[in-house]
Amino acid sequence: MSSSHDAPSLPSPLPESAVLRAAYRARAAAADLAPLPRSVKDDALLAIADALVVRTKEIVEANARDVARARAAGSSETVIDRLTLTRERVAAIAADVRDVAGLPDPVGEVVRGSTLPNGLDLRQVRVPLGVVGIIYEARPNVTVDAAALCLKSGNAVLLRGSSSAYASNEALVKVLRDAVGGAGLPADAVQLVPGESRESVKELMRARGMVDVLIPRGGASLIRTVVEQSTVPVIETGTGNCHVYVDAQADLPMAVEVLINSKAQRPSVCNSAETLLVHQDIAEAFLPLALAALAEAGVTVHGDERVLALAERTGSKATVVPATMEDWETEYLSYDIAAGVVDSLDAAVHHIRLWSSGHTEAIVTTSQPAARRFTQLVDAAAVVVNASTRFTDGGEFGFGAEIGISTQKLHARGPMGLPELTSTKYIVTGDGHIR
Amino acid sequence: MSSSHDAPSLPSPLPESAVLRAAYRARAAAADLAPLPRSVKDDALLAIADALVVRTKEIVEANARDVARARAAGSSETVIDRLTLTRERVAAIAADVRDVAGLPDPVGEVVRGSTLPNGLDLRQVRVPLGVVGIIYEARPNVTVDAAALCLKSGNAVLLRGSSSAYASNEALVKVLRDAVGGAGLPADAVQLVPGESRESVKELMRARGMVDVLIPRGGASLIRTVVEQSTVPVIETGTGNCHVYVDAQADLPMAVEVLINSKAQRPSVCNSAETLLVHQDIAEAFLPLALAALAEAGVTVHGDERVLALAERTGSKATVVPATMEDWETEYLSYDIAAGVVDSLDAAVHHIRLWSSGHTEAIVTTSQPAARRFTQLVDAAAVVVNASTRFTDGGEFGFGAEIGISTQKLHARGPMGLPELTSTKYIVTGDGHIR
């Protein structure tokens, strides 16, 4: 091969930025990973699971340093709980990796195929995305989950966790890389983004052409920053301002159960409900039951004028405070719910269109036409009829695992499993066909 | 409904920017379009086709003003040809709209569905993206094509054509809006982005939350600008640095035919070939034939050292100039081709990995293992075996129409038909299911 086009696969000199150097190495690893068959990838995942168990001690010790730092910094118990790794938790993480090994490999799936009128054979097959960047908060389990899902789908992964979990992530990624390398795969397929500074996130967001997609997982402000500043394509995840709408005709005990489960089964997650909307025709019958159940679940109600008036008139024991405009757009993630009475199903749809984050919207109704109209008109990743909003989840949907819940419309919407970590390519085969 | 959450669907006062006002109106129109059944959308498309024919005169007259301006500005004949609308061309555009009406409606297609173990019914169905922005150059036919594809897939469209076609686009959009409105659909589903300044493109690129996707169609610099500056998600289209690789074992006449068709059948389009790579074992036999055929087709060869040496030694009549590094990355779109000899298939793959834009890569070979390895290792929207690169096209692939050819990996890759203009939503139906 002539020297004039035998350029090195890495630029020489390598970029000065440690983040870009990591991305270049990930790119080379991704090219090696892409054609690997399932068995090789699964063996690597099982090696990871084994290594996590064998090397639990060094992981837990590194984690203890992060936890001590967090305590010294006065972090809340919730934050410390999320950050903490124990022997049991590491074992559970390893078990999750084994589960990922058991899932079908999306790579190579023929999405569509046909023989064209001219005799050309056309196949559209799933291929890995390439290099996936994950930006996330102080949950070390995400380090392993994300790496396992990316490896299984043939992708290299760049992990940028919270600096408050840096020691834990460093220890985990060391274990992962050793196991991956030991299984004959390129260790550079799993890398921690070097550096704890915000600068490293910025560099990752500008690594267009080297990183194929960025998936921010975490709070709304992190996601907004990445979405606005990244030139790398982003998949927006996780913000959930979810509504439960109780229609004019509804099974009242079912409506109460769905409401309470949607709000209070686990209020801190994105698929919990944040607003209750009630059709005016059923408000007198339903709201007293709903307010009583919400009170019992410890939920504070931020009610509109009609909810406030009804609560007062019926002597409800619930805590009901006046709703402001802000309440309609707030993702509380707490034992709070906004509540309003609407004139019609269309008014509920209109309210949802204005305020929803497009995650999950539920209707409780016995009317088939109402269910049909609601599912047609409401534009969200998931529209739920007579069930809790809490079901929007990769595990519940039977995907086996999820890398996040997309609230955008491009590429993936809703819970993202392994197929959502892939792209496709067309393979066209002929006998010398020309146009 | 209490005043506290009965907010207007448009912000009051409306945004000052005319572009954002257009986007707000498109958003409202998109909500109306989304649930419409196929028949209503098809009727609107047929009304558009009729109106284009009936009102050809005003369209051609407006176009004549653009053409006169372009001539006065000294535009090339190629540019003027692309810009020009005649009675025949308008009739052809109208026929294309009728063809779009005849295509299946992607909206409502159930992509997957199952009953979960707990009895919940899960369906993933196609829904429109919402508001699609198209940024394109001075080809007025794109105005109608893009509007027809967006309407058929239930999307509102914001059209931002070249300022040099503004009069033509204004006339066309007037006809489209009248026809759409007359068919009972919201006229605001089709809008020309107001203003001819670059500022209007910038505003469109910052309309995140109001515009769901931007599709730039045109030259590389336009696409790069949009990709780098837009906060609205972008689908990158159309840059094609496509390669034809002739393997050690190949049918020589077939290889010549595929090469010439790939390069010279229509050099100005993105799926034409820009580089020829030849395995060293077949170079002596193939290159003299290839150079002769390229010379006959009027193609200038930018050869590496080995190609230059062989051309000289064999007394080739082809125009062969030395290739520089730049030639390997250039999308000529002209009667030029870069050419090099490689040591192996893997060296060809390596070259393609370095320089390809990920559009279309072809191999000519009689070796099954070589074809398999090439299609596995080459990462591009289309990988072609023993056929011309020119087949990567929505029409050729049987999609009926295309909005562009995506060279990115997220959402859509390769020719984009109607399904690529949709997203999905999950519809979950239960009997009061809770977690």
Side-chain angles (χ1 to χ4, degrees), chain A residues 22 80 110 209 214 238 281 309 389 421:
Chain A
I80 285 173
V110 179
L214 277 184
D281 292 355
T389 57
L421 286 171

Side-chain angles (χ1 to χ4, degrees), chain A residues 79-275:
Chain A
V79 167
I80 285 173
D81 181 56
R82 284 179 187 171
L83 177 60
T84 302
L85 292 175
T86 61
R87 183 160 291 277
E88 292 68 34
R89 286 187 178 183
V90 174
I93 292 170
D96 286 344
V97 174
R98 283 182 213 284
D99 287 346
V100 172
L103 293 174
D105 184 351
V107 175
E109 185 198 341
V110 179
V111 177
R112 54 180 159 180
S114 63
T115 300
L116 301 179
N118 61 8
L120 275 179
D121 282 330
L122 181 70
R123 276 182 300 148
Q124 185 183 22
V125 300
R126 282 200 190 282
V127 295
L129 283 168
V131 178
V132 177
I134 316 268
I135 302 176
Y136 55 106
E137 295 182 331
R139 296 173 178 265
N141 63 310
V142 171
T143 305
V144 183
D145 285 355
L149 291 168
C150 288
L151 285 176
K152 175 82 188 197
S153 49
N155 295 293
V157 65
L158 290 172
L159 298 156
R160 208 301 179 177
S162 164
S163 55
S164 61
Y166 198 80
S168 313
N169 289 337
E170 212 170 28
L172 286 167
V173 169
K174 192 166 184 316
V175 172
L176 295 177
R177 287 172 59 90
D178 290 350
V180 166
L185 269 60
D188 281 339
V190 181
Q191 293 180 73
L192 196 61
V193 171
E196 304 181 41
S197 71
R198 286 191 174 268
E199 205 47 49
S200 68
V201 177
K202 282 196 186 148
E203 289 182 30
L204 197 56
M205 293 193 296
R206 305 295 301 184
R208 188 175 178 97
M210 281 176 287
V211 178
D212 292 289
V213 61
L214 277 184
I215 306 177
R217 284 181 57 165
S221 81
L222 165 70
I223 291 166
R224 198 163 45 241
T225 302
V226 176
V227 157
E228 281 176 7
Q229 297 184 9
S230 180
T231 59
V232 174
V234 174
I235 298 180
E236 206 174 332
T237 66
T239 312
N241 182 14
C242 306
H243 298 70
V244 172
Y245 165 62
V246 181
D247 189 43
Q249 297 170 45
D251 177 323
L252 294 184
M254 180 197 290
V256 171
E257 253 197 318
V258 165
L259 168 66
I260 298 302
N261 190 262
S262 298
K263 176 69 249 180
Q265 196 245 351
R266 198 173 167 203
S268 63
V269 291
C270 60
N271 60 15
S272 63
E274 306 294 9
T275 299

Side-chain angles (χ1 to χ4, degrees), chain B residues 309-318:
Chain B
L310 189 137
E312 195 168 331
R313 184 154 40 76
T314 59
S316 170
K317 281 181 283 183

Side-chain angles (χ1 to χ4, degrees), chain A residues 1 208 236 261 306 375, chain B residues 1 208 236 306 343 435:
Chain A
M1 192 167 174
R208 188 175 178 97
E236 206 174 332
N261 190 262
R306 292 204 257 182
T375 54
Chain B
M1 193 168 173
R208 191 177 177 95
E236 207 174 330
R306 290 204 259 182
D343 291 346
R435 280 181 75 176

Side-chain angles (χ1 to χ4, degrees), chain B residues 12 23 40 76 106-107 151 156 177 181 226 295 303 306 311 322 327 374 400:
Chain B
S12 171
V40 176
S76 74
V107 174
L151 285 175
R177 288 172 58 91
V226 175
R306 290 204 259 182
D327 283 298
F374 190 84

